[in-house]
Amino acid sequence: VDDECRHIVESFWRAMNDNDFQGAGGLLADDFVLDYPQSRERLRGRENWVALNQEYPAAGRWSFQVHRLIVENQQAVTEVTVSDTLNQFMLVSFFQARDGRIQRMIEYWPDPFDPPGMRAHLVEMPGGVK
Amino acid sequence: VDDECRHIVESFWRAMNDNDFQGAGGLLADDFVLDYPQSRERLRGRENWVALNQEYPAAGRWSFQVHRLIVENQQAVTEVTVSDTLNQFMLVSFFQARDGRIQRMIEYWPDPFDPPGMRAHLVEMPGGVK
């Protein structure tokens, strides 16, 4: 089961990196749901998901670099850097699979923030992460 | 191995929810490293980590609600809501364990954002998430 879920998520990011949004959409369940906890938006259905990706403004081709993939049974999470050649974004995605497709995703898009001065004496700057 | 890592992470959040930062710090490896990709800060060492938590301003007791825990071998990730009774924050934490302790963490603190108008026709508002 872990291997199946891993394969689905890897296929998803490969299709995304090919900018093949129809192909990635083919990995989603008919009753697919995507939640954005930061804005409390909920997107339902493969067609809306494909449209969102096709309509989203981009400076160039999208690339998706997967830094981490953790899989347990039918659940997975990825830590990804997204770029449209001009801008770069961080993305953490939780996946729930069912019957060989992605039934649910939860996406977090964390923005950069300035280091809080109050903990400057406790940290190094800039920390290398990847 | 999964069970050991799961137990460590569950113990960590239990100690955090008790506001027992010394106890949580006892679950960290001697060469513990915590990265904040959003600010590019890096914190090293148990003592700095305990100090950061003790010094951090709070309106009241901290509570930590774990919504999701995904474990694979020595890696884990949690999706958590943090509150100091006044404010609430989202937190996604990646864990790397080694020899029964947490050797590395990567923390994302995603802030709320306004729903982008460009996708208003594709989503529901407000989406229920948890």
Side-chain angles (χ1 to χ4, degrees):
Chain A
V1 173
D2 284 19
D3 282 349
E4 185 189 62
C5 184
R6 186 183 314 281
H7 178 71
I8 298 167
V9 173
E10 287 175 345
S11 300
F12 176 83
W13 287 122
R14 198 156 41 234
M16 291 299 281
N17 200 53
D18 289 341
N19 290 211
D20 176 10
F21 304 125
Q22 288 284 359
L27 299 166
L28 308 181
D30 292 338
D31 60 347
F32 172 74
V33 175
L34 165 58
D35 284 311
Y36 300 91
Q38 293 164 276
S39 58
R40 304 186 62 203
E41 295 164 282
R42 168 168 283 185
L43 180 146
R44 287 182 190 275
R46 182 188 301 129
E47 286 175 28
N48 284 336
W49 184 87
V50 172
L52 182 144
N53 281 277
Q54 288 175 337
E55 294 175 11
Y56 208 90
R61 278 183 65 83
W62 290 104
S63 63
F64 298 82
Q65 193 183 353
V66 181
H67 302 288
R68 256 169 218 85
L69 164 58
I70 302 178
V71 181
E72 181 183 0
N73 300 321
Q74 297 274 50
Q75 291 194 89
V77 64
T78 54
E79 188 191 4
V80 169
T81 307
V82 184
S83 175
D84 67 353
T85 71
L86 189 61
N87 298 296
Q88 190 162 298
F89 307 93
M90 293 171 268
L91 171 58
V92 176
S93 309
F94 289 85
F95 298 85
Q96 175 78 52
R98 197 190 56 208
D99 300 333
R101 296 208 173 167
I102 298 164
Q103 196 274 319
R104 189 172 178 213
M105 285 177 60
I106 302 171
E107 285 189 356
Y108 288 97
W109 292 84
D111 281 317
F113 58 73
D114 291 329
M118 72 183 93
R119 66 188 183 206
H121 59 296
L122 301 172
V123 300
E124 299 169 17
M125 275 294 304
V129 172
K130 302 308 175 191
Chain B
V1 173
D2 285 20
D3 282 349
E4 184 190 63
C5 185
R6 186 184 315 279
H7 178 71
I8 298 167
V9 172
E10 286 175 346
S11 300
F12 176 83
W13 287 122
R14 198 156 41 235
M16 290 299 281
N17 200 53
D18 289 340
N19 290 212
D20 176 10
F21 304 125
Q22 288 283 359
L27 298 165
L28 308 181
D30 291 339
D31 59 348
F32 172 74
V33 175
L34 164 59
D35 284 311
Y36 299 91
Q38 292 163 277
S39 58
R40 304 185 64 203
E41 296 164 280
R42 168 168 282 185
L43 179 145
R44 287 181 190 275
R46 182 188 302 129
E47 286 176 28
N48 284 336
W49 184 87
V50 172
L52 181 144
N53 281 276
Q54 288 176 335
E55 294 175 12
Y56 208 89
R61 277 182 65 83
W62 290 104
S63 64
F64 298 81
Q65 192 183 352
V66 181
H67 302 289
R68 256 168 219 86
L69 165 59
I70 301 178
V71 180
E72 181 182 359
N73 299 322
Q74 298 274 51
Q75 290 193 90
V77 64
T78 55
E79 188 190 4
V80 168
T81 306
V82 184
S83 175
D84 67 352
T85 70
L86 189 62
N87 298 296
Q88 190 162 298
F89 307 93
M90 294 172 268
L91 170 58
V92 176
S93 309
F94 290 86
F95 298 84
Q96 174 77 51
R98 199 190 54 210
D99 301 332
R101 296 210 172 166
I102 298 165
Q103 195 275 317
R104 190 175 176 209
M105 285 177 60
I106 302 171
E107 285 189 356
Y108 287 97
W109 292 84
D111 280 316
F113 57 74
D114 292 330
M118 71 182 95
R119 66 188 183 207
H121 59 298
L122 301 172
V123 300
E124 299 168 16
M125 274 296 302
V129 171
K130 301 308 173 192

